[in-house]
């Protein structure tokens, strides 16, 4: 039996994005939860704006509102980067855990053996452009896994 394996190029790219977004999540989280609250408003303003506050900006609570807005922005970036890391990481994990094997007689998906003759529906609409085929509701993507092209060749040999 030939087992579909995670495409190394796909895995490297998605793992890179996951690690990058997790790192950014930590960076933004540190700024929003630790650094910004501990920094005086005027000092934070100067570090972000690269200049000292002018007389108008020193009046009232302008600098405190500035600090509050910048802190909330860091919270948003933390959440966004964390969600991206989670979604991309979970998608990569799901691709890694995808269980599909095939041989000359049929295929096994999620522990269930099926003969090629049992295939009822093959959707090739995205095969030529994207390398994606659906076989009885099972989506196979040649970008995610190596071996998909060989499986498609076997399906085509039996005339599905």
């Amino acid at each position: 039996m030939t087992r579909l394996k995670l495409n190394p190029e796909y895995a490297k790219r998605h793992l890179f994005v996951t690690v990058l977004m997790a790192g950014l999540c930590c960076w933004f989280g540190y700024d929003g939860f630790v650094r910004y609250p501990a920094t005086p408003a005027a000092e934070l303003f100067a570090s972000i704006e690269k200049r000292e506050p002018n007389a108008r900006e020193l009046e009232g609570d302008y600098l405190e509102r500035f600090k509050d807005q910048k802190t909330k922005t860091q919270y948003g970036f933390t959440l966004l980067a964390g969600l991206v890391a989670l979604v991309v990481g979970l998608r990569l994990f799901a691709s890694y855990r995808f269980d599909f094997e095939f041989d000359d007689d049929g295929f096994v998906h999620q522990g269930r053996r099926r003969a090629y003759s049992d295939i009822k529906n093959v959707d090739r609409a995205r095969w030529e452009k994207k390398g994606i085929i659906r076989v009885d509701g099972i989506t196979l993507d040649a970008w995610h896994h190596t071996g998909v092209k060989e499986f498609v060749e076997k399906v085509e040999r039996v005339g599905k």
Side-chain angles (χ1 to χ4, degrees):
M1 290 220 108
T2 302
R3 182 180 183 84
L4 295 187
K5 293 184 178 154
L6 194 60
N7 178 352
E9 183 68 21
Y10 166 82
K12 287 176 196 172
R13 289 181 185 200
H14 284 73
L15 184 59
F16 174 77
V17 169
T18 301
V19 170
L20 175 68
M21 289 296 125
L24 287 173
C25 176
C26 292
W27 181 309
F28 294 134
Y30 177 78
D31 279 352
F33 290 101
V34 178
R35 184 172 161 253
Y36 285 16
T39 305
E43 189 179 314
L44 182 64
F45 179 90
S47 71
I48 292 173
E49 297 296 320
K50 306 294 185 229
R51 65 175 178 82
E52 294 300 319
N54 61 35
R56 186 179 53 82
E57 293 162 340
L58 289 171
E59 293 175 8
D61 65 345
Y62 177 84
L63 292 177
E64 288 303 321
R65 287 184 291 121
F66 176 88
K67 177 179 176 175
D68 185 54
Q69 185 269 325
K70 294 301 182 185
T71 302
K72 287 178 182 175
T73 299
Q74 295 304 307
Y75 296 159
F77 286 153
T78 300
L79 179 63
L80 183 61
L83 286 174
V84 171
L86 182 66
V87 168
V88 174
L90 287 175
R91 183 67 196 116
L92 179 59
F93 183 71
S95 294
Y96 170 75
R97 298 276 301 153
F98 186 74
D99 184 27
F100 193 92
E101 297 176 297
F102 64 95
D103 58 19
D104 291 335
D105 301 319
F107 62 95
V108 178
H109 176 61
Q110 294 179 340
R112 183 173 167 225
R113 175 105 178 128
R114 306 213 9 232
Y116 292 118
S117 59
D118 295 339
I119 296 174
K120 304 217 184 323
N121 183 21
V122 177
D123 179 2
R124 291 181 180 84
R126 297 185 291 165
W127 178 247
E128 292 302 319
K129 286 187 176 184
K130 300 272 186 177
I132 299 171
I133 191 167
R134 287 181 53 88
V135 178
D136 287 347
I138 303 165
T139 302
L140 303 172
D141 190 327
W143 166 234
H144 295 179
H145 297 96
T146 60
V148 173
K149 292 175 184 174
E150 292 80 4
F151 173 74
V152 170
E153 288 170 7
K154 290 198 183 285
V155 170
E156 289 173 348
R157 263 190 247 132
V158 296
K160 291 292 175 178

